[in-house]
Amino acid sequence: MSGTLALASAIAEMDRDTLAALVRARRPHAHASITDPIGLASELLKPDSITRALAPLDRAQLAAVRDPRSADAARIEQLRGLGLLGRDGDAAIALPEVEAVLDEALASAGSDDARRAADLLPSGPVADDDEDVDTSVWFTSALTAVGQAAECLRMLRDRPGKLNRSGSIAVATVKHLAEATAIEPDEVALALAALLRADLITALVDDQLLIAASGSGAWLGRGHVERWIALARAALREMPAPLRAEWSAAARPRCDVRALAASVPEEYPLLPAADLAAVADFARLAEYLGLTVAGRCTDVADALLAGGDAAGTDDAADISADVAAAMPATAAGVYVQPDLSVVVPGPLPPRDEEVLVALARPEHIGVASTRRISEASIAGAYERGLTPATARDAFAR
């Protein structure tokens, strides 16, 4: 029996805003030919459209699609708004077309998909809920990530990277940046992911180029605290919806993001492979940026996720103060060794950092970094416009 009339009845009862949200969410292909609720219902009950609508739903939502009588009012309204339930009088009813697609999709989503998704997750021990993880050391990863991201960004300002035809970053670009910056290739990839999310680098897909964005200079002109907050906010804004939902449901501080990520394939059995990969990628990036430590959310990450990420708000000011208090202060200077290596004991003021980066090549980027002065590095600095007087003044200071 067709569910077209039942879905059309539900559509006819929607107000304008709900109807507009439904069309935006489902994006019917033949929208130009739709003139009434029955026409829209027919489009929404096509198998491809139903499959796309079911994919991001969790197990509880999928159960309600099959049996709305067991669901609460809020969930029923949500599913009605997605065009996945019909209407019979005042009651929500299941739609045969949706049930058929759901049965087929669940049958094809086997354990191999779950295992494949688990393989994507970052390696390392997952802490027990009762295990006490010291998340106060998050600033070590945070400062390293900021330093590595800045190093990669400067390299891309001098020499754009290459993209594959698919728009992904070419392996050759990652390899070149790794060799030029003394950063491990997997960390280069994470630094580039953080920069992309923060709109500090831009992928020109048509030209197959990866370039520094217009705002990159302003970011490099900020201190280490502001740089990290910009990267952290951008990463958390793109936290995959299933993972954010699991974080909200956990409703506890310092929850284990790795464990939540591992639960996503089970809780969202129809989630496409690309979405599962995005969950795994976020878990890695969060650890790299210091938003998590051994998988556990830091207090700062919890605060940003809870809404303290709007610039100019009191919460944002409190978070900035917390980050500044947790991170080391700006270093007063550097140590130049007899072998012309330069030990940088901590973050430098942006102006000093810029001069030092021009004069010395990186050997290690971290909370404390090491660079080396050579004839090649000095020649490169002069080619970029630095003068011998500028170099001497910088080291004298």
Side-chain angles (χ1 to χ4, degrees):
M1 181 176 178
S2 171
T4 304
L5 289 179
L7 179 54
S9 296
I11 292 170
E13 294 295 324
M14 293 179 180
D15 58 38
R16 182 178 294 272
D17 290 342
T18 304
L19 182 59
L22 168 62
V23 173
R24 283 195 301 271
R26 297 290 298 274
R27 297 187 179 280
H29 289 305
H31 56 85
S33 63
I34 297 172
T35 59
D36 55 30
I38 290 180
L40 178 56
S42 298
E43 280 295 315
L44 298 183
L45 290 177
K46 290 182 177 179
D48 287 350
S49 179
I50 295 172
T51 298
R52 290 193 300 272
L54 291 175
L57 302 188
D58 62 25
R59 286 189 174 276
Q61 292 169 316
L62 294 175
V65 165
R66 195 188 301 278
D67 182 12
R69 293 170 300 177
S70 63
D72 57 38
R75 184 162 286 137
I76 288 175
E77 285 307 307
Q78 181 187 40
L79 295 175
R80 270 180 173 169
L82 291 172
L84 294 173
L85 292 177
R87 185 183 181 93
D88 183 12
D90 292 331
I93 62 171
L95 300 170
E97 295 87 346
V98 174
E99 288 185 285
V101 171
L102 176 57
D103 288 341
E104 183 178 351
L106 288 174
S108 63
S111 59
D112 287 344
D113 291 334
R115 281 197 295 271
R116 190 160 55 249
D119 290 341
L120 294 171
L121 295 173
S123 59
V126 175
D128 296 331
D129 285 342
D130 296 332
E131 186 178 339
D132 186 19
V133 175
D134 181 11
T135 60
S136 66
V137 297
W138 65 270
F139 72 87
T140 302
S141 296
L143 276 179
T144 301
V146 166
Q148 292 180 344
E151 206 70 41
C152 292
L153 181 55
R154 289 190 182 93
M155 293 296 299
L156 290 173
R157 294 177 80 186
D158 292 340
R159 176 181 169 182
K162 297 290 186 181
L163 301 177
N164 297 317
R165 291 183 180 179
S166 63
S168 60
I169 299 172
V171 172
T173 293
V174 174
K175 183 178 178 181
H176 165 70
L177 289 173
E179 291 173 349
T181 60
I183 302 170
E184 291 296 321
D186 58 340
E187 292 180 327
V188 168
L190 288 166
L192 294 177
L195 291 169
L196 277 170
R197 283 167 170 76
D199 294 325
L200 294 170
I201 57 177
T202 301
L204 303 179
V205 178
D206 291 341
D207 299 323
Q208 292 183 244
L209 290 176
L210 184 68
I211 64 171
S214 58
S216 59
W219 183 80
L220 286 170
R222 300 176 188 171
H224 58 285
V225 171
E226 291 79 10
R227 287 182 188 178
W228 181 81
I229 290 175
L231 295 179
R233 282 177 174 161
L236 291 173
R237 277 197 298 269
E238 294 195 20
M239 186 179 192
L243 195 54
R244 184 179 283 270
E246 293 301 298
W247 176 85
S248 297
R252 63 179 184 274
R254 302 182 187 179
C255 64
D256 192 331
V257 171
R258 282 182 183 169
L260 296 182
S263 73
V264 166
E266 180 69 22
E267 289 299 314
Y268 298 81
L270 303 184
L271 207 61
D275 292 344
L276 292 174
V279 169
D281 289 343
F282 178 86
R284 290 191 189 91
L285 184 62
E287 193 77 9
Y288 173 71
L289 289 173
L291 291 166
T292 62
V293 176
R296 289 289 179 86
C297 261
T298 65
D299 292 339
V300 172
D302 279 331
L304 288 170
L305 280 168
D309 60 348
T313 65
D314 291 339
D315 285 344
D318 290 342
I319 289 171
S320 295
D322 290 343
V323 173
M327 287 191 174
T330 302
V334 301
Y335 301 95
V336 182
Q337 307 296 319
D339 64 354
L340 294 185
S341 62
V342 182
V343 178
V344 187
L348 294 172
R351 183 171 70 98
D352 291 343
E353 180 189 73
E354 183 178 3
V355 174
L356 183 61
V357 165
L359 292 168
R361 302 287 171 82
E363 290 191 337
H364 170 73
I365 303 297
V367 178
S369 301
T370 307
R371 309 186 76 91
R372 185 172 296 278
I373 305 166
S374 66
E375 289 186 12
S377 70
I378 294 294
Y382 290 168
E383 287 176 3
R384 291 179 176 86
L386 265 72
T387 65
T390 302
R392 291 192 184 97
D393 175 67
F395 287 118
R397 276 193 295 109

